[in-house]
Amino acid sequence: SRRAADGDEHHRHFRVVCDEFFDRMALTDGAFRFMQDHPGDTCELRIGAYYFAAQMLEREEADLSIAFLEQEPARDRIDGRIIGKDSLDLVISRQLIDADRRTDILHAAARLPLLLPERDTRLLNMAMRVCGELEISPAVSFGQTAADVVMEVELGGAFTMLPHRFAQRYENRALVRLPLCGESGAQLVYGAYWL
């Protein structure tokens, strides 16, 4: 933020709103570095749905928003920079497949509904494009948070698609992740946006 970058003597309170799918370790590391480099300044971190992150920035309730967006915000007031790339993983319960082969995973997913978090339209649009590329046509339903969706998927009643780095958090659970990095519709770009 311009305000955080200028060299005034006053203590600043820097507000960061982050998409729930972004790497939280990178976010907290960045906040700690900021506070070490700027003694007396504070950094408030909030995690939420991407539309929450974008809206808070537009309403000037945040100094920095980190999210992956289908469309970048209007550039008349907002600046931004690409800070990372990722791709989606298809995530399904291990109990539904005989082997971790791609064909077995896709065959099992084709019989299930697609469960996504909180009516997240950007994730829905991406997931439907990828399902088309994979030639599966699931019914779609929505859960609450991404963590709730993962728990329901683990029980075997649905599959989901989540960003790879986010899905890795659940590596030790009874889930199988099929990286979709080769599918063109599964590519995401994270950006940092500020006024």
Side-chain angles (χ1 to χ4, degrees), residues 3 21 46 49 51 56 58 78 89 114 120 125 128 138 186:
R3 189 172 74 217
F21 294 126
R46 294 184 73 185
Y51 52 83
M56 285 193 71
E58 289 169 359
I78 297 175
D89 282 0
L114 170 63
D120 187 326
N125 293 339
M128 294 312 295

Side-chain angles (χ1 to χ4, degrees), residues 24-142:
R24 291 180 189 183
M25 182 72 80
L27 181 64
T28 54
D29 286 349
F32 285 127
R33 280 195 313 272
F34 172 81
M35 290 186 294
Q36 285 176 334
D37 293 346
H38 301 90
D41 290 348
T42 58
C43 187
E44 173 187 353
L45 304 177
R46 294 184 73 185
I47 308 291
Y50 78 100
Y51 52 83
F52 176 70
Q55 288 171 350
M56 285 193 71
L57 181 64
E58 289 169 359
R59 291 191 308 250
E60 297 186 23
E61 296 170 357
D63 300 299
L64 179 69
S65 176
I66 299 173
F68 84 80
L69 302 174
E70 287 184 286
Q71 295 181 306
E72 290 191 32
R75 291 295 188 161
D76 57 335
R77 294 181 52 225
I78 297 175
D79 289 321
R81 171 179 296 152
I82 292 174
I83 59 171
K85 295 183 180 186
D86 202 352
S87 60
L88 295 177
D89 282 0
L90 186 150
V91 182
I92 193 166
S93 174
R94 181 167 299 285
Q95 67 184 351
L96 299 175
I97 60 170
D98 296 325
D100 288 0
R101 293 186 308 256
R102 180 181 174 91
T103 54
D104 293 335
I105 294 168
L106 293 177
H107 183 69
R111 298 187 310 259
L112 296 170
L114 170 63
L115 181 62
L116 296 171
E118 294 186 23
R119 299 202 182 278
D120 187 326
T121 55
R122 82 204 152 145
L123 194 56
L124 171 63
N125 293 339
M126 290 184 71
M128 294 312 295
R129 280 193 302 268
V130 173
C131 284
E133 290 177 30
L134 298 173
E135 298 180 356
I136 56 177
S137 302
V140 178
S141 59
F142 296 92

Side-chain angles (χ1 to χ4, degrees), residues 76 93 103 144 169 181 190:
D76 57 335
S93 174
T103 54
Q144 293 298 314
R169 296 179 193 171
C181 51
Y190 287 95

